Amino acid sequence: MSERLRQWLDSEMKDYEVVFRRFNNRLMKRVPLWMLLSIGGMVALGFAVGYEWTYVLRVHFLIGLGFGLFILLCFWLQTRSVSMKKVRKLYEQALGGLSSSDQEAFAQQASQAGSVDFFNPGSDKYPARLTVGPDFWLYFRGGCQTFRVADIAGLRVKQETTRVGYNVGNSHVRQNLGVGLSLVAHFREGSASAAQSDSASIFLDNAKQLEQARALIEKHCPKARPLWNRET
């Protein structure tokens, strides 16, 4: 990795660490609510089935408290399983995969680049970050991937779905359920990126995140404006 790119990464990690701490703090703030819900739910269940209040306090309250402490332990273990060292390693692997000239070009665009962060505490251990410059993009969401704008032939949005099944009376119904949106970049035939895959995706949880990502691209990557919905 070039020295200039390493300096950019040092600065990027300092900035991301602030977001990372805010994400973890927000995650831990949800713990008391879940603990109260588990205790309250078990106590309510005890009264609902007709037990005496002494039995509810002696049994159901303690069961609810046990569930609450288990929830606390799960959240605590999650915060301990993540670290900035792991984030930096993923960034280094992605950036290290660029050629020397592309590393230098990536570092040079730093002053023209911007970023947006996405908090998905229900599914992610880290805040996601999209960094967009005029020539390169980088997307971090548990893993890290780079996009070379010159290699992109077209951009489109894809609805991501999963197939679910459930029973309605005596009938079994299956339907597609939306789980998010992907911003798909299709690569030019013969490009370096196409040698790895014909496309790459930026997965986002909802339309608001897509709107933020698109606004960031419009602002910091003028070359991408004519690529939207282009046939490839």
Side-chain angles (χ1 to χ4, degrees), residues 3-185:
E3 182 58 30
R4 188 170 183 178
L5 185 57
R6 192 176 301 279
Q7 290 175 359
W8 173 85
L9 184 56
D10 290 342
S11 176
E12 179 73 1
M13 290 297 97
K14 287 180 181 178
D15 182 70
Y16 183 83
E17 186 173 10
V18 175
V19 179
F20 177 61
R21 288 177 178 173
R22 191 164 73 244
F23 177 83
N24 276 337
N25 289 339
R26 184 177 297 184
L27 193 66
M28 291 304 295
K29 284 180 180 179
R30 301 170 63 184
V31 174
L33 174 61
W34 285 108
M35 292 181 70
L36 287 173
L37 287 174
S38 66
I39 295 172
M42 287 304 301
V43 170
L45 178 63
F47 285 122
V49 297
Y51 289 122
E52 294 290 334
W53 68 270
T54 53
Y55 181 85
V56 170
L57 290 179
R58 191 171 68 252
V59 178
H60 286 255
F61 175 80
L62 292 179
I63 293 174
L65 180 61
F67 282 137
L69 292 174
F70 178 73
I71 291 171
L72 175 62
L73 177 63
C74 289
F75 275 91
W76 183 82
L77 288 175
Q78 178 173 330
T79 60
R80 292 299 179 272
S81 68
V82 295
S83 70
M84 285 301 301
K85 287 183 178 179
K86 293 180 180 179
V87 176
R88 186 181 181 102
K89 184 177 181 179
L90 291 168
Y91 267 73
E92 288 177 342
Q93 288 175 347
L95 294 170
L98 299 175
S99 66
S100 298
S101 58
D102 281 350
Q103 288 184 19
E104 189 63 25
F106 190 102
Q108 286 178 354
Q109 72 167 19
S111 62
Q112 300 170 276
S115 63
V116 61
D117 300 308
F118 305 114
F119 284 18
N120 306 301
S123 57
D124 295 352
K125 294 182 178 181
Y126 298 94
R129 168 169 287 195
L130 175 63
T131 301
V132 172
D135 298 305
F136 292 91
W137 307 346
L138 185 147
Y139 186 54
F140 173 76
R141 187 173 183 178
C144 201
Q145 58 188 138
T146 58
F147 296 78
R148 191 171 185 268
V149 177
D151 290 351
I152 300 176
L155 296 167
R156 68 181 179 91
V157 176
K158 178 185 177 184
Q159 175 76 52
E160 299 292 351
T161 61
T162 185
R163 192 76 168 168
V164 297
Y166 54 91
N167 293 322
V168 179
N170 294 325
S171 302
H172 187 71
V173 179
R174 296 185 66 84
Q175 70 177 52
N176 291 325
L177 180 67
V179 294
L181 299 163
S182 284
L183 172 55
V184 184

Side-chain angles (χ1 to χ4, degrees), residues 184-216:
V184 184
H186 294 276
F187 298 126
R188 302 181 189 279
E189 186 176 352
S191 66
S193 298
Q196 303 296 322
S197 175
D198 60 357
S199 66
S201 300
I202 295 172
F203 180 74
L204 304 162
D205 269 23
N206 51 56
K208 181 180 178 181
Q209 292 184 1
L210 175 64
E211 184 179 323
Q212 291 176 299
R214 184 160 187 165
L216 186 73

